[in-house]
Amino acid sequence: MRLLMAGSPGSGKGTHSRRLANDLGISHIATGDLLREQVAAGTPLGREAKVYMDRGDYVPDKVMVDMIKHRLSEPDAEKGFILDGYPRTQTQATELDKVLADLGQQIDAVIILEVPVDEIVERLSARRTCPSCQRAYHMRDEPPADDERCDDDSTPLERRTDDEPDTVRHRLKVYADRTAGVIEHYDVDSIVRRVSGEASVDEVAKRIHEALGF
Ligand SMILES: [Zn+2]
């Protein structure tokens, strides 16, 4: 099976992509990980991508397409894969179709994990990190024992500026604008499966399986 998993920041997309890949025995391909691996290995693509990343810019579509093409040509991807975090733009979706067509493949289904904006804001804005030991907390789901201090070293916990409610809302807006075209692209072929991600991890995993017809 060849799948795409889409979902906004905080939707649980990463967790569910990994879990589904594991359940189906297919490869989990996350573009963020791919980028980091290529940069760390110092490959030509990694060096090119690093120039943009160091400037805080998006890595251009062309570099991403080359990276995906390279990854999808590896032997383990033959038995199927789930792409996590890609394509993010309509251009990338069109290019992905071409890459797959060259390999004699196509996408079987696109899963969109839907979570209401207010729930995402609540999930992300409740995240805290200890600046001293980097331990992660969640004020709703995994709070520290003592107010907002680290259990291990009592350092006051911090919230990333990215996770401030206003910033989260802005990130969600940017995400929605960028991905609208991608969803439209796949909607044409009726392979989009919308799944509500507002439930426990086990329940959402079950819904994903059902949406895929298992
Ligand atoms: Zn700590």
Side-chain angles (χ1 to χ4, degrees), residues 130 132-135 137 150-155:
C130 170
S132 169
C133 70
Q134 307 305 320
R135 181 167 165 185
Y137 294 87
C150 179
D151 288 345
D152 298 332
D153 48 41
S154 301
T155 308

Side-chain angles (χ1 to χ4, degrees), residues 51-209:
V51 174
Y52 297 95
M53 292 160 80
D54 284 348
R55 288 201 302 245
D57 287 338
Y58 278 116
V59 176
D61 285 344
K62 195 197 160 296
V63 179
M64 294 305 298
V65 170
D66 285 349
M67 205 167 283
I68 288 290
K69 189 172 185 172
H70 183 259
R71 180 64 186 87
L72 294 183
S73 312
E74 284 176 29
D76 71 294
E78 247 170 64
K79 60 186 180 345
F81 56 79
I82 179 158
L83 274 178
D84 169 3
Y86 189 92
R88 291 209 177 174
T89 63
Q90 198 160 13
T91 309
Q92 290 181 354
T94 308
E95 290 301 319
L96 177 64
D97 285 350
K98 288 187 203 155
V99 169
L100 290 173
D102 284 347
L103 295 166
Q105 302 173 353
Q106 62 184 44
I107 295 298
D108 298 308
V110 178
I111 301 150
I112 303 178
L113 220 43
E114 296 186 317
V115 180
V117 171
D118 288 342
E119 166 66 15
I120 300 260
V121 171
E122 205 178 314
R123 283 184 191 178
L124 295 189
S125 62
R127 297 200 296 195
R128 299 288 184 281
T129 314
C130 170
S132 169
C133 70
Q134 307 305 320
R135 181 167 165 185
Y137 294 87
H138 192 277
M139 298 311 288
R140 185 183 67 182
D141 305 334
E142 279 183 288
D146 174 23
D147 198 22
E148 293 219 8
R149 287 177 177 277
C150 179
D151 288 345
D152 298 332
D153 48 41
S154 301
T155 308
L157 302 178
E158 289 179 353
R159 176 157 72 184
R160 287 171 41 190
T161 44
D162 253 16
D163 290 339
E164 302 283 346
D166 286 349
T167 314
V168 171
R169 285 183 196 279
H170 177 71
R171 285 166 66 197
L172 293 176
K173 170 102 181 39
V174 171
Y175 171 81
D177 290 348
R178 294 190 82 200
T179 50
V182 176
I183 296 165
E184 244 171 67
H185 179 91
Y186 293 106
D187 247 342
V188 173
D189 297 328
S190 308
I191 55 170
V192 174
R193 306 281 175 266
R194 291 179 164 78
V195 175
S196 165
E198 204 181 8
S200 67
V201 171
D202 285 343
E203 173 59 25
V204 174
K206 198 175 121 214
R207 290 176 187 171
I208 293 173
H209 279 241

